[in-house]
Amino acid sequence: MRTSKRQIQKLNTRKKIIETAYKVFSEKGFSVPSSIIAKEAGVSHGAIFAHFPTMDDLLISLLSDFGDKIGASLHALAKKSDSAENLLKEHLKVLEEYEAFYSRLISEKTRLPDEAKNTFAIIQSTVAFHFASVIEREIEKGTVKKLPIHMLFNTWMGLVHYYLLNKDFFSDSGESVIKRYGSELLSAYLNLIKK
């Protein structure tokens, strides 16, 4: 079945709105009016609502898109029995790509609508699932200390979130915390959990 020119245009507009919303939400927070997203995207204000009936729908679509990207990259590694180190490197890589958005997400999580909070919880569960599958194999091989997996996961997330939420302590305003400290965070964490 061929895609019409109009369908392609609609898909491109939707993609442009989502890409712009990532940027605008990252910079200004999740309470930004839709008119600003429309202006930044170079589309009519009505185009936003033609694709996303509410701002919550747009936010949920963004979170789903973000979750799909994290899930896909971690799934491929976890499935092939890869190491915890490689899985965590991939996790940092995806977070670095969306660092401003993810930082905003974790700092404003409590103010999100319930459905967006649920979507965020699903993202975290997906990351935890892939983390657990790799860590369990490493524990069985004897390369990682036998500790409760939820504690290993929460320690990793706590470490990453601490640096992201306190970016102003660790880097200049425009510099990526993950780019600057990612390898150090990974190394320190692996030293804590490896036998």
Side-chain angles (χ1 to χ4, degrees), residues 93-129:
K93 181 179 157 190
V94 174
L95 291 182
E96 183 182 342
E97 183 179 348
Y98 293 95
E99 185 172 324
F101 178 76
Y102 188 74
S103 295
R104 182 69 71 176
L105 182 60
I106 60 176
S107 70
E108 293 187 14
K109 182 177 69 91
T110 58
R111 292 185 263 161
L112 295 174
D114 286 342
E115 193 173 346
K117 285 179 191 173
N118 293 339
T119 303
F120 180 71
I122 290 167
I123 292 168
Q124 296 302 74
S125 295
T126 300
V127 174
F129 173 79

Side-chain angles (χ1 to χ4, degrees), residues 3-19 41-44 46-53 58 61:
T3 307
S4 73
K5 188 175 181 180
R6 177 75 180 130
Q7 289 170 318
I8 292 169
Q9 184 180 12
K10 283 179 76 171
L11 290 172
N12 287 338
T13 300
R14 181 181 174 87
K15 182 180 175 188
K16 188 172 195 173
I17 292 168
I18 286 177
E19 288 170 356
V43 300
S44 71
I48 300 279
F49 297 105
H51 293 277
F52 307 99
L58 174 56
S61 290

Side-chain angles (χ1 to χ4, degrees), residues 73-74 77-78 82-96 127-128 130-132 134-135 138 144 152-157 159-160 178 182-183 185-191 193-194:
S73 65
L74 298 181
L77 283 171
D82 215 3
S83 69
E85 181 175 357
N86 287 339
L87 186 78
L88 297 177
K89 278 182 184 175
E90 188 66 23
H91 186 227
L92 287 174
K93 181 179 157 190
V94 174
L95 291 182
E96 183 182 342
V127 174
H130 293 304
F131 177 92
V134 170
I135 291 292
E138 291 226 10
V144 168
L152 292 170
F153 177 72
N154 290 335
T155 301
W156 170 250
M157 294 304 289
L159 184 62
V160 171
I178 293 176
S183 60
L185 294 172
L186 181 63
S187 176
Y189 178 75
L190 291 172
N191 283 334
I193 69 166
K194 291 275 189 175

Side-chain angles (χ1 to χ4, degrees), residues 127-184:
V127 174
F129 173 79
H130 293 304
F131 177 92
S133 67
V134 170
I135 291 292
E136 283 174 351
R137 287 191 293 267
E138 291 226 10
I139 289 172
E140 288 171 12
K141 287 192 291 186
T143 56
V144 168
K145 295 174 186 171
K146 190 172 183 169
L147 296 167
I149 291 174
H150 69 277
M151 291 303 295
L152 292 170
F153 177 72
N154 290 335
T155 301
W156 170 250
M157 294 304 289
L159 184 62
V160 171
H161 285 186
Y162 181 80
Y163 273 74
L164 289 173
L165 290 172
N166 294 287
K167 176 181 180 164
D168 53 328
F169 295 154
F170 302 111
S171 67
D172 297 330
S173 61
E175 185 181 27
S176 164
V177 172
I178 293 176
K179 186 173 194 157
R180 183 168 184 188
Y181 290 100
S183 60
E184 204 174 325

